[in-house]
Amino acid sequence: EVQLLESGGGLVQPGGSLRLSCAASGFTFSTSDMTWVRQAAGKGLEWVSAIRGVDDSTEYVDSVKGRLTISRDKSKNMLYLQMKSLRVEDTAVYYCAKVRGSGWNLDYWGQGTLVTVSS
Amino acid sequence: EIVMTQSPATLSVSPGDGATLSCRASQSVSSYLAWYQQKPGQAPRLLIYDASTRATGIPARFSGSGSGTEFTLTISSLQSEDFAVYYCQHYSSWPLTFGGGTKVEI
C-alpha cells in the first residue's frame, strides 16, 4: 500500500525558514517522480515543485524559485521541501504527491501539513 | 503558463442526476489532462488521466473526454459520495497548473 506522510509544518514568521518532510512507502521511491502541491485555506490547488526520479532534476513554479528547494534522500525514502524567505502568501496546506509514472499526473497524495506564515 | 478555466464554479444537482463539468486550457495541452476529486478535509484523489482514462478503482460512472483545449468530466447518476470539488490539471508543460475547481453540491 502506497503511503505518503508529511511532517514539519508549523507557524513561522515572515522571512523565516522551515523544512517539510514526506515519508514514502509502498512503492519504488528511488525511481519515482514526486511533487509538492499546496492549497491555501478555501482556495484551489497550486503545484509548487517537482523532482524527477531518473536524475533528481527539479522544476519550480516561478513564485517560489530561489526560496523553496525540493530534494530527496533515496536511502531513507524521504522527500523534502526546504523553505526560506517565507512570505505570508506561502501560508497553505502542503501536500506531497507521487507521479503516476507516465505523465505528470498525481496518483497518490499525503494528508498534508499546514504551514502558517504570520507575525 | 497555461491557464486552466473550469466551469461552472458551482453545480447544484440531485442524487441520481448526471453532471457535466468543463475545463478549458488557454492553449493546447493535447490529452495531458487529469481530473481530481477533493472532499472537505481530505487530499485530492486522481479520477481521470490522459483526458479519458479512469484511474485505478474509479467507478465507471466517471468519464472524461476532450483534447486540445476543451475537456469534460461527466458523472452519470450522482451518488451521495460524489458531492465534492473537482479540479482539472494539465501536464503538457511547466509549470503544471490546476483549474479553479467546480463544486458539485446538492
Side-chain angles (χ1 to χ4, degrees), chain A residues 45-85:
Chain A
L45 302 168
E46 181 185 31
W47 169 76
V48 172
S49 183
I51 187 166
R52 295 178 180 83
V54 63
D55 61 2
D56 286 347
S57 59
T58 59
E59 303 285 348
Y60 298 92
V61 67
D62 281 350
S63 61
V64 309
K65 283 180 180 176
R67 301 187 302 114
L68 274 57
T69 302
I70 190 172
S71 64
R72 70 203 298 167
D73 185 332
K74 292 180 178 180
S75 68
K76 296 181 179 179
N77 279 9
M78 294 293 293
L79 180 72
Y80 302 105
L81 187 65
Q82 180 68 49
M83 312 171 77
K84 67 179 184 180
S85 302

Side-chain angles (χ1 to χ4, degrees), chain B residues 6-36:
Chain B
Q6 291 186 242
S7 62
T10 303
L11 188 60
S12 297
V13 294
S14 299
D17 287 351
T20 300
L21 288 65
S22 296
C23 175
R24 173 176 292 178
S26 61
Q27 64 189 77
S28 177
V29 299
S30 185
S31 293
Y32 299 118
L33 191 285
W35 290 93
Y36 301 86

Side-chain angles (χ1 to χ4, degrees), chain A residues 28-49:
Chain A
T28 307
F29 177 76
S30 60
T31 58
S32 293
D33 301 329
M34 299 292 295
T35 67
W36 288 96
V37 175
R38 66 186 179 184
Q39 185 172 37
K43 303 297 184 181
L45 302 168
E46 181 185 31
W47 169 76
V48 172
S49 183

Side-chain angles (χ1 to χ4, degrees), chain B residues 24-59:
Chain B
R24 173 176 292 178
S26 61
Q27 64 189 77
S28 177
V29 299
S30 185
S31 293
Y32 299 118
L33 191 285
W35 290 93
Y36 301 86
Q37 176 194 67
Q38 187 179 34
K39 298 178 181 179
Q42 297 185 16
R45 177 174 71 145
L46 178 66
L47 298 176
I48 301 286
Y49 62 90
D50 294 347
S52 61
T53 304
R54 276 189 302 276
T56 303
I58 301 303

Side-chain angles (χ1 to χ4, degrees), chain B residues 4 56 66 68 87 104:
Chain B
M4 307 301 292
T56 303
Y87 295 95
V104 177

